Amino acid sequence: MSSVSLRGVSKSYGGSVAVRDVNLEISEGEFIVLLGPSGCGKTTTLRMIAGFVDPTAGQILLGGKDVTRLPPRKRDIGMVFQNYALFPNMNVAENIAFGLRRRGAPRETIKARVEELLDLVHLSSQADYHIDELSGGQQQRVALARALAHTPSVLLMDEPLGALDLKLREQLQEEILRIKKTLGITTILVTHDQQEAMALADRIVLMDKGEIRQAGTADNLYRRPASPFVAGFIGKRNEIPADVAGMGDQLIARASDGTILVIGLPDDHPLGGKVTINLRPEHLILSREPGEACSDHTSLSATVTGKRFLGNVVHYELTLPWGEAVLSESRDGDHAVGDSVFVSFAHSDIVMFPEDSAGRRK
Ligand code: ATP
């Protein structure tokens, strides 16, 4: 049985659709990240799971129980918001205890649970601090502890790290992963930051214009994107327009100037006609000597037009027969701007998309 099920869930505001026919099954203990550009419907989806927004259509189940029409307090969830939403007139321990008090839990139970949570979020020595005495990162830990206080079965987080600077965000990501591992709680987090999604998620659900475009592991979305939108949203890519045609008993892809890009596409390759070849920057390999062009590799001449040293990687900009490309190397191959070089890539690293019927490359 799924921990959370969304079945045909939609939400419209007046005539405009915020979320359209979302279907998602989330397993017990899974860490799901709802990812997508601003306005794609991820917060609305989360708020429907929480019960703050009523779906226009569809069903929401938590632990197999239909909660579609239940208010938030009757759902077994804990919620963390971007702006912490803490009570400024209460200290840390009182904030964490708030929900338990409201539920009428015995005093001793509350005390023990608050101590346990303070320990979990590493704030035991700040129990008496007022909220305005804490840093942003510490405030978000209090919010996390408060959301977990009543031992919910699902933790929902809406851009929880959005207000923090990069360093703190990375620290808190580690904390969230540690806590999730310790508690084994099903977690759904909303972010527009693809790196954050990749760092945290067991499964990323990538949304656009109110719909799920692809759901899968970070690895799966990065290596096997289902559409150009997914390929462009998760990571950087080089896009090469090409024409695929038969040559003898092989399929070949040519760039617009006639340069042969790929000889011998795999037998099961369903594409012909106009396509876009997608290659990640790290899949282009730079060398001084031409590589061997064969059925599983391509080697092309290029000129280095830009170089940026970024510490762990070096980014090169290149001019190739079809236009511009970027590539990144984990070790500096010592190429300089203006150098004539060769670029090769393995055909197994290519992801190809067809041009749609309207003539756009999808
Ligand atoms: P962001 O990252 O900017 O928060 P999001 O992906 O979370 O974006 P939503 O907040 O879910 O997107 O909004 C999806 C769409 O629904 C947007 O077009 C938004 O303007 C619209 N929308 C959201 N809430 C309301 C509302 N209360 N009334 C009218 N339209 C709304």
Side-chain angles (χ1 to χ4, degrees), residues 1-5 7 25 59-67:
M1 185 179 54
S2 295
S3 175
V4 180
S5 305
R7 299 189 181 159
E25 298 292 326
Q59 248 189 332
I60 297 169
L61 286 80
L62 296 181
K65 183 178 153 204
D66 189 340
V67 299

Side-chain angles (χ1 to χ4, degrees), residues 3 18 35 43 58 72 83 114 120 171 183 204 216-217 236 277-278 281 289 297 303 308-309 312 318 350:
S3 175
L35 175 70
T43 295
N83 61 1
V114 169
L120 183 74
Q171 263 172 26
L183 304 178
I204 296 174
T217 60
K236 293 194 169 68
I277 291 174
N278 289 257
E289 303 300 325
H297 271 80
T303 308
R308 275 181 301 148
F309 178 72
N312 57 341
L318 306 160
I350 287 175

Side-chain angles (χ1 to χ4, degrees), residues 244-247 249-253 260-269 294-298 347-348 350 352:
V244 174
M247 189 176 71
D249 56 356
Q250 283 185 320
L251 279 177
I252 61 163
I260 294 181
L261 295 169
V262 184
I263 305 172
L265 296 170
D267 291 343
D268 60 355
H269 209 288
C294 56
S295 61
D296 56 3
H297 271 80
T298 291
H347 297 166
S348 55
I350 287 175
M352 234 182 233

Side-chain angles (χ1 to χ4, degrees), residues 44-67:
T44 304
T45 303
L46 193 82
R47 294 177 74 84
M48 285 193 284
I49 299 169
F52 297 122
V53 171
D54 283 333
T56 314
Q59 248 189 332
I60 297 169
L61 286 80
L62 296 181
K65 183 178 153 204
D66 189 340
V67 299

